[in-house]
């Protein structure tokens, strides 16, 4: 079985400060990991993904994520937060095994960047 | 929201009625998906299709039906058997069934049962 957890429902950060949105996962095989962002009443937008290789993945809008196999984590980070980063963020995982089911999404983390 | 369109944006249904949500993509993607989003629960997979004329049930398929007669279209019907259909419905597509392909999402349809 595969699962993903986002332990924080809400993250608040001041504009200009670094931000971290946490994600941990559980899979049987090698994980494929994704981050998406959702603005109110909109669809999800893809930010970045980890498939293999370098543990630090860079994505859209200055976001990056660090894959940590020993801690089974894939935290989303940005060095300097913008008010416009305020949105709902989803982590998703899929087991790399061929017979694995489809993507499993976390419950989401609401990020609020305060001016 | 890329090359995926969903219609209508808002939909109101009376109890006992079937309704069909439209999803069209012009990305030439093989795989398409339907998700349901409820507050605080993330996205849950309803149905997915990896090729034309084939589709598979997801985690919460009861009360829903789909068809995939064309590569670019994957309509979802919410039947009267779905006990709690009020939700935000998201359609997505990916280039292929390969697990490392990211999914592209449409803007969503908000369904409300009156």
């Amino acid at each position: 079985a595969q699962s993903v957890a986002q332990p924080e429902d809400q993250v608040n950060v001041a504009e200009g400060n670094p931000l971290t949105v946490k994600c941990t996962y559980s899979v049987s095989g090698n994980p494929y990991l994704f981050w998406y962002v959702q603005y109110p009443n909109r669809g999800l937008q893809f930010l970045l993904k980890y498939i293999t290789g370098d543990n630090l993945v860079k994505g859209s809008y200055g976001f990056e994520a660090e894959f940590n196999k020993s801690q089974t984590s894939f935290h989303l980070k940005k060095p300097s937060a913008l008010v416009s980063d305020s949105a709902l963020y989803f982590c998703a995982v899929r087991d790399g095994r061929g017979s694995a089911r489809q993507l499993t999404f976390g419950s989401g983390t609401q990020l609020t960047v305060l001016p | 929201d890329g090359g995926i369109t969903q219609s209508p944006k808002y939909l109101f249904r009376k109890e006992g009625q079937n309704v069909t949500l439209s999803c069209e993509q012009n990305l030439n993607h093989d795989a398409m998906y339907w998700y349901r989003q409820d507050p605080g629960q993330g996205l849950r997979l309803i149905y997915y299709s990896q090729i034309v004329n084939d589709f598979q049930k997801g985690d919460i398929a009861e009360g829903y039906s789909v068809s995939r007669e064309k590569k670019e279209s994957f309509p979802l019907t919410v039947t009267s058997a779905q006990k709690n259909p009020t939700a935000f419905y998201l359609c997505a597509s990916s280039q292929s069934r390969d697990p490392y392909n990211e999914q592209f999402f449409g803007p969503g349809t908000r369904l409300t049962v009156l």
Side-chain angles (χ1 to χ4, degrees), chain B residues 58-99:
Chain B
D59 297 322
I60 55 166
E62 184 176 354
Y64 300 97
S65 65
V66 294
S67 62
R68 186 87 186 277
E69 297 177 359
K70 298 186 296 183
K71 186 175 185 178
E72 60 269 24
S73 179
F74 192 41
L76 174 73
T77 297
V78 184
T79 74
S80 58
Q82 170 48 236
K83 299 304 180 187
N84 184 23
T86 294
F88 191 49
Y89 290 86
L90 289 162
C91 179
S93 70
S94 63
Q95 188 170 8
S96 73
R97 68 175 68 187
D98 292 324

Side-chain angles (χ1 to χ4, degrees), chain A residues 21-84:
Chain A
V21 182
K22 296 180 180 178
C23 172
T24 59
Y25 67 89
S26 175
V27 296
S28 299
N30 292 322
Y32 296 136
L33 293 153
F34 303 81
W35 274 104
Y36 291 86
V37 61
Q38 184 180 33
Y39 296 96
N41 296 311
R42 302 288 300 274
L44 277 65
Q45 295 179 28
F46 168 74
L47 284 177
L48 52 80
K49 66 181 178 182
Y50 172 81
I51 304 301
T52 186
D54 194 349
N55 289 343
L56 185 63
V57 179
K58 294 187 182 296
S60 305
Y61 313 119
F63 284 94
E64 58 189 27
E66 186 170 10
F67 172 66
N68 188 317
K69 187 173 183 178
S70 63
Q71 298 185 5
T72 61
S73 67
F74 189 57
H75 301 331
L76 182 70
K77 301 180 180 183
K78 187 173 183 181
S80 179
L82 300 172
V83 172
S84 57

Side-chain angles (χ1 to χ4, degrees), chain B:
Chain B
D1 301 320
I4 301 178
T5 58
Q6 290 186 243
S7 62
K9 186 175 177 67
Y10 298 97
L11 185 57
F12 298 91
R13 190 194 93 172
K14 294 181 180 180
E15 287 191 15
Q17 285 183 334
N18 293 354
V19 291
T20 297
L21 283 59
S22 170
C23 177
E24 303 278 334
Q25 55 101 357
N26 62 3
L27 301 169
N28 199 34
H29 284 173
D30 287 324
M32 297 187 74
Y33 312 83
W34 274 106
Y35 293 94
R36 171 181 171 139
Q37 185 177 18
D38 296 282
Q41 294 192 40
L43 277 68
R44 292 182 291 169
L45 183 65
I46 304 172
Y47 268 98
Y48 64 99
S49 169
Q50 294 176 325
I51 196 169
V52 174
N53 291 323
D54 183 63
F55 48 83
Q56 306 295 328
K57 292 181 178 179
D59 297 322
I60 55 166
E62 184 176 354
Y64 300 97
S65 65
V66 294
S67 62
R68 186 87 186 277
E69 297 177 359
K70 298 186 296 183
K71 186 175 185 178
E72 60 269 24
S73 179
F74 192 41
L76 174 73
T77 297
V78 184
T79 74
S80 58
Q82 170 48 236
K83 299 304 180 187
N84 184 23
T86 294
F88 191 49
Y89 290 86
L90 289 162
C91 179
S93 70
S94 63
Q95 188 170 8
S96 73
R97 68 175 68 187
D98 292 324
Y100 47 79
N101 289 137
E102 62 270 27
Q103 295 182 12
F104 295 83
F105 285 80
T109 292
R110 188 166 297 280
L111 173 63
T112 303
V113 174
L114 303 174

